Amino acid sequence: MMVQDEDLIDFADDVPPPSRRDGEPAARWTLLIVDDDEEVHAATRFVLKDVQLCGRPLRLLHANCAAEAAACLAREPDVAVILLDVVMESSDSGLMLVRHIRDTMQRSEVRIVLRTGQPGYAPELKVIRDYDINDYKTKAELTHTRLITTLTAAVRAYDQIRTIAENRRGLELIVSASADLMEAHALNTFAEGVLTQIAALLHLPGDGIVCAQKGSPLDDRDKVLHVVGAAGRLAPYISHPLEQLGDPEITAVIRDCIARKSHGFGPRHTVLYLHGSHHEAAVFLRTHALLEAGDRQLVTVFASNLSSCFGNIKLVERLNHLAFHDPLTGAGNRVSFLTDLAEAGAGERGSGLVACLLDLDRFTDINSALGHDVGDQLLLAVAARLAEAFPGCALARVHADGFGLIGPAALLTPERVFATLQAPFAAGEQQLAVTARLGRCQIEPGTSGNTLFRRAEMALTQARMSPDRRECDFKPAMEERTRRRLDLIRHLRHDFLANRLAVWYQPQVALVGDGLVGVEALLRWPSDDDFVQPPDVFIPLAEDSGLITAIGEWVLDQACATLHRLQQAGGPALRMAVNVSMPQFRLVDFPAAVARVLAAHGILPSALELEITESILMEEPGVVLDNLKALRESGVHISVDDFGTGYSSLGYLRELPIDTLKIDRSFVVEIDSGRGDLFAEMIVAIARKLGVGTIAEGVESAAQLSRLRELGCDIVQGFLYARPMPVEALEAWIAGRPKDHVRH
Ligand code: C2E
Ligand code: CA
Ligand code: CA
């Protein structure tokens, strides 16, 4: 049988009151008396009637046997002391119960005082120690005062153990809360987490706010305090300035906290000060009384943990901002654009949206002509205008001079985009007119961000290459074309490495005297299946993929080996013409590489003629000029290929160290075709003016030949004499040529 004793009595006591939460009703100590003798229960009840221990009244529970006691403990989580009879049903049932309480029930906090009628039944010292038995008294010893002092010591020990345990739980909470908060990467989720965790820690209603310096983590200059998190009735003020709260008390407390850089504990509030390395914040909590010392300590520890989380959040926000924003324009960057594309592609809503890539024309020129400051300001102005014209669309700067936009197809039409750029842009002192190219692609649901970006890029490339259109929409055929291109590049690389490429040679004949004066080395890509790729197709691929530098060097090596072989055979003195691409010319050590190859084959530099196209000359005059000069100084000849198809200025040409202009085949064709020989004539005249020689290429007819001769062209090359051929065929061709062969 078990009896609850609800009688509460005062008992004067000089022990200081234990910790107690303000506002809660006075707590009581719960004691459990376990004895099979009803008289003991009654006596204890009598002695403890109206007694207070350490300022708290008592609540007595009674059990008559070990099983009853165990059941009672299972129900009661907060039993402070057990007064336990050692001998009950059996001589050791009391000790068995102790073992059960400590081992099975894992109740380590409850204090146990053993009582026994007979001194002889005292348990072993080891048992007392192992089972944390806190006192041992004979029943006779438990007189009124002795019982009270024993119990006072026991409840005080219990209270201390509880406090320590609670603190440890509090610390565990802090640690796990901090870990959770570390996960929060945005200030507002962090703030929300802080409020929830502190409220839980202090058993407070979650009524509070977190304030930090000005919203944007990048904007440290603005010292306006903003609400970054709030709970309860303050929730609507999130992201408003603190002033708008309209609560002078809270405002003052937060200001004071930030100014003093320390926590504040008042009777109606608690305010915590958080600081990262560059930022500070205050957490305001409504409390109903001054926090007691233990809780104050707890939140202080928590706050210092929060400060490091806070610094972390700010850092993460800053990094996030940098990771996803273009530092110049503040618009998104390539990463954010890809993320937005991925999101748009993943959404069901995909259809109806388009991705746009916008590329400013000649931005590099503006940058180098007017300076980077002006270039930057232009980009800023363009970004601002795009953002204004297309609100709600994702805007990002995806290249140095390229922007990306995602939005409804109906809004992002080429007309609207170009209309936006129509008016000139203010950049520094300048008003700059800007033109651009636009590539668009439909966002189809279930398409990855990368794919969408690549498609928009394909469309943009198409728009860039088109002479008459400024915009292009992606079409699936483009993807197919790109795939084929990539296949071809892979195949080319493979065949080059497998040494399957070949160099053929086409003779060049002097018009005066009709003697063979040179050969042009022309690359060939023989193929097992009859599908032979012409150089016009695969050389641009090699150029785009960077393969051309290795291939070009190999061609030069082959050409020099051939020339050496021809020289050994004792034929006429020939010059070897080798075509050079832009990527080769960009290599700083290109002249040195040429010199090495020449030396390796014992060829004089003057026996080599490098053919560069007019467009190369115009593209990057700086690099080209340095390399040209170095080559020319070494004695290598330079000829300008496809002359007349580009747009070199004559003034500029005069500056260039060149030896020959090659009259492009298209002008030679014209000689027969009715349009006449105007261009051919002009080029010969220009060459004369510049003091350089001329070679006409693609000569196929006798009529072309005789006209070129009349014009005073120096050398011709074309099917009329010979097609390009392998070295063995060339040797046979040379051998078969009568020494005094003259054509008319
Ligand atoms: P290119 O430098 O203008 O070469 C002259 C092209 O005209 C050659 O075409 C040649 O076979 C062709 N040709 C010569 N005489 C006649 C003729 O009487 N009639 C016609 N219809 N064509 C004639 P090929 O060999 O197909 O080369 C095309 C282009 O590929 C070359 O134009 C050159 O730009 C490039 N190329 C060829 N080999 C190399 C190389 O080793 N390196 C680099 N970078 N480019 C090369
Ligand atoms: Ca050529
Ligand atoms: Ca040519």
Side-chain angles (χ1 to χ4, degrees):
M1 185 209 52
M2 210 180 71
V3 190
Q4 281 215 13
D5 197 321
E6 296 294 340
D7 300 334
L8 311 170
I9 337 143
D10 266 318
F11 178 80
D13 184 21
D14 56 358
V15 182
S19 58
R20 166 156 71 87
R21 288 187 208 294
D22 297 280
E24 282 178 19
R28 292 177 292 168
W29 301 119
T30 303
L31 306 188
L32 171 63
I33 296 122
V34 188
D35 209 305
D36 56 355
D37 183 348
E38 185 48 43
E39 258 180 51
V40 176
H41 286 286
T44 312
R45 225 180 352 250
F46 177 74
V47 172
L48 295 181
K49 197 168 177 344
D50 298 338
V51 165
Q52 279 206 351
L53 296 177
C54 305
R56 288 193 199 177
L58 307 179
R59 171 174 171 248
L60 301 184
L61 305 175
H62 300 269
N64 291 311
C65 62
E68 253 182 45
C72 171
L73 279 171
R75 268 194 314 273
E76 297 282 341
D78 192 23
V79 175
V81 184
I82 303 173
L83 282 170
L84 176 61
D85 189 12
V86 180
V87 183
M88 289 181 290
E89 303 94 317
S90 62
S91 61
D92 62 348
S93 53
L95 288 178
M96 299 274 281
L97 177 61
V98 171
R99 189 172 292 151
H100 179 73
I101 292 169
R102 297 292 192 220
D103 289 351
T104 313
M105 300 183 83
Q106 293 283 311
R107 296 279 286 261
S108 54
E109 290 160 16
V110 60
R111 300 297 83 201
I112 299 174
V113 178
L114 288 184
R115 299 202 282 189
T116 177
Q118 303 96 322
Y121 282 96
E124 309 253 335
L125 197 67
K126 185 174 173 304
V127 176
I128 293 186
R129 207 175 48 224
D130 286 356
Y131 290 106
D132 188 21
I133 289 165
N134 312 107
D135 216 338
Y136 178 79
K137 296 276 181 300
T138 60
K139 285 182 184 171
E141 277 180 292
L142 289 176
T143 58
H144 182 98
T145 17
R146 291 290 298 272
L147 179 62
I148 301 229
T149 36
T150 300
L151 285 178
T152 301
V155 295
R156 196 183 289 146
Y158 174 74
D159 189 50
Q160 279 163 356
I161 289 169
R162 282 300 291 249
T163 310
I164 291 166
E166 216 159 74
N167 280 344
R168 202 177 56 225
R169 265 198 298 278
L171 286 171
E172 274 163 12
L173 248 180
I174 288 176
V175 170
S176 74
S178 306
D180 280 355
L181 289 171
M182 279 288 185
E183 293 288 299
H185 290 327
L187 194 55
N188 47 357
T189 27
F190 170 74
E192 199 184 297
V194 167
L195 289 172
T196 330
Q197 303 284 6
I198 297 190
L201 216 58
L202 301 181
H203 308 283
L204 288 173
D207 219 19
I209 57 166
V210 181
C211 278
Q213 306 289 10
K214 177 75 184 170
S216 159
L218 295 178
D219 197 353
D220 301 322
R221 289 156 297 176
D222 197 335
K223 289 290 178 190
V224 174
L225 280 164
H226 270 241
V227 177
V228 294
R233 116 193 130 71
L234 301 173
Y237 295 97
I238 291 178
S239 76
H240 286 268
L242 177 62
E243 258 55 43
Q244 288 181 10
L245 216 58
D247 184 326
E249 186 210 342
I250 297 183
T251 311
V253 165
I254 286 183
R255 289 213 171 288
D256 182 56
C257 168
I258 299 266
R260 283 187 301 106
K261 301 190 180 304
S262 62
H263 311 314
F265 298 98
R268 299 195 59 243
H269 69 260
T270 289
V271 60
L272 300 178
Y273 173 71
L274 309 185
H275 57 101
S277 42
H278 299 293
H279 303 84
E280 37 190 11
V283 182
F284 176 93
L285 289 150
R286 177 61 71 204
T287 53
H288 298 294
L290 186 66
L291 286 194
E292 51 98 350
D295 284 347
R296 266 203 299 242
Q297 224 170 3
L298 206 61
V299 289
T300 306
V301 175
F302 190 43
S304 72
N305 258 24
L306 285 182
S307 281
S308 63
C309 298
F310 179 58
N312 195 44
I313 301 281
K314 282 294 191 180
L315 185 70
V316 170
E317 278 200 344
R318 191 181 280 263
L319 291 177
N320 270 344
H321 191 89
L322 289 178
F324 293 107
H325 289 83
D326 167 39
L328 174 65
T329 61
N333 61 8
R334 194 188 170 90
V335 178
S336 81
F337 191 64
L338 280 168
T339 314
D340 290 345
L341 277 180
E343 232 163 65
E348 290 300 304
R349 201 169 85 79
S351 54
L353 290 179
V354 283
C356 294
L357 288 180
L358 190 69
D359 210 55
L360 306 185
D361 293 337
R362 308 193 72 85
F363 180 73
T364 327
D365 292 351
I366 293 174
N367 242 352
S368 46
L370 302 176
H372 285 259
D373 278 356
V374 174
D376 283 358
Q377 288 181 40
L378 175 64
L379 290 170
L380 265 169
V382 172
R385 201 178 297 166
L386 288 172
E388 199 194 321
F390 302 106
C393 297
L395 172 69
R397 182 171 164 222
V398 293
H399 293 301
D401 53 353
F403 291 92
L405 278 162
I406 304 170
L411 187 63
L412 291 173
T413 62
E415 296 72 35
R416 277 182 198 240
V417 173
F418 290 131
T420 307
L421 304 179
Q422 194 83 61
F425 291 88
E429 315 273 86
Q430 327 277 334
Q431 288 288 321
L432 298 173
V434 160
T435 56
R437 308 278 171 152
L438 177 69
R440 299 197 318 159
C441 100
Q442 295 282 349
I443 295 182
E444 285 164 20
T447 318
S448 80
N450 281 325
T451 303
L452 291 169
F453 192 79
R454 215 180 48 234
R455 288 181 179 172
E457 262 188 329
M458 279 179 216
L460 178 64
T461 307
Q462 201 71 25
R464 271 209 214 97
M465 291 191 314
S466 160
D468 48 344
R469 288 180 52 206
R470 327 208 104 259
E471 101 285 344
C472 176
D473 277 0
F474 167 80
K475 284 168 216 68
M478 293 178 188
E479 216 154 30
E480 176 56 21
R481 204 156 49 229
T482 308
R483 204 184 51 73
R484 273 209 311 272
R485 244 174 74 91
L486 290 177
D487 276 355
L488 218 52
I489 289 173
R490 210 170 299 129
H491 192 178
L492 177 62
R493 175 176 288 121
H494 174 266
D495 279 8
F496 169 61
L497 294 174
N499 206 18
R500 294 213 182 121
L501 299 188
V503 181
W504 287 13
Y505 302 91
Q506 184 176 38
Q508 297 177 326
V509 177
L511 279 179
V512 176
D514 202 30
L516 175 70
V517 290
V519 291
E520 180 178 2
L522 292 159
L523 184 60
R524 290 293 176 266
W525 184 9
S527 159
D528 301 336
D529 43 30
D530 293 331
F531 187 63
V532 178
Q533 296 289 344
D536 290 331
V537 171
F538 72 80
I539 287 190
L541 292 184
E543 286 174 349
D544 291 353
S545 62
L547 257 183
I548 194 68
T549 50
I551 294 183
E553 190 169 337
W554 177 79
V555 170
L556 183 65
D557 187 73
Q558 292 291 301
C560 288
T562 298
L563 188 57
H564 180 75
R565 182 169 154 169
L566 296 175
Q567 284 172 352
Q568 294 300 101
L574 298 179
R575 182 168 288 143
M576 177 62 72
V578 176
N579 295 284
V580 180
S581 284
M582 184 66 200
Q584 293 174 269
F585 238 101
R586 265 199 218 110
L587 301 174
V588 193
D589 62 348
F590 181 61
V594 171
R596 265 199 311 276
V597 177
L598 287 172
H601 295 282
I603 303 287
L604 289 175
S606 59
L608 178 67
E609 182 156 86
L610 295 180
E611 296 193 2
I612 58 170
T613 59
E614 202 181 343
S615 48
I616 290 185
L617 285 179
M618 295 303 119
E619 245 177 280
E620 268 176 79
V623 194
V624 172
L625 212 59
D626 289 348
N627 278 349
L628 270 184
K629 280 182 182 148
L631 287 163
R632 189 59 167 347
E633 265 161 31
S634 75
V636 170
H637 279 229
I638 306 291
S639 70
V640 181
D641 209 348
D642 305 340
F643 187 76
T645 60
Y647 22 60
S648 341
S649 82
L650 283 186
Y652 178 57
L653 267 183
R654 206 190 301 272
E655 306 289 304
L656 294 177
I658 52 177
D659 300 276
T660 316
L661 297 183
K662 283 192 90 170
I663 304 169
D664 189 61
R665 194 170 76 84
S666 57
F667 305 127
V668 174
V669 169
E670 280 182 358
I671 295 176
D672 284 348
S673 73
R675 284 190 62 186
D677 51 13
L678 186 66
F679 280 94
E681 189 178 350
M682 245 165 61
I683 293 170
V684 174
I686 290 169
R688 287 232 175 85
K689 257 221 147 59
L690 296 174
V692 301
T694 43
I695 301 180
E697 57 183 356
V699 179
E700 293 185 4
S701 72
Q704 289 166 349
L705 181 69
S706 65
R707 186 65 191 124
L708 287 164
R709 181 173 282 137
E710 280 168 27
L711 291 175
C713 176
D714 301 314
I715 298 170
V716 291
Q717 164 185 359
F719 293 177
L720 181 63
Y721 286 90
R723 291 180 176 251
M725 54 195 134
V727 60
E728 297 80 10
L730 176 67
E731 281 169 330
W733 186 86
I734 294 173
R737 234 174 100 84
K739 292 268 182 292
D740 54 350
H741 181 95
V742 177
R743 273 186 181 259
H744 300 285

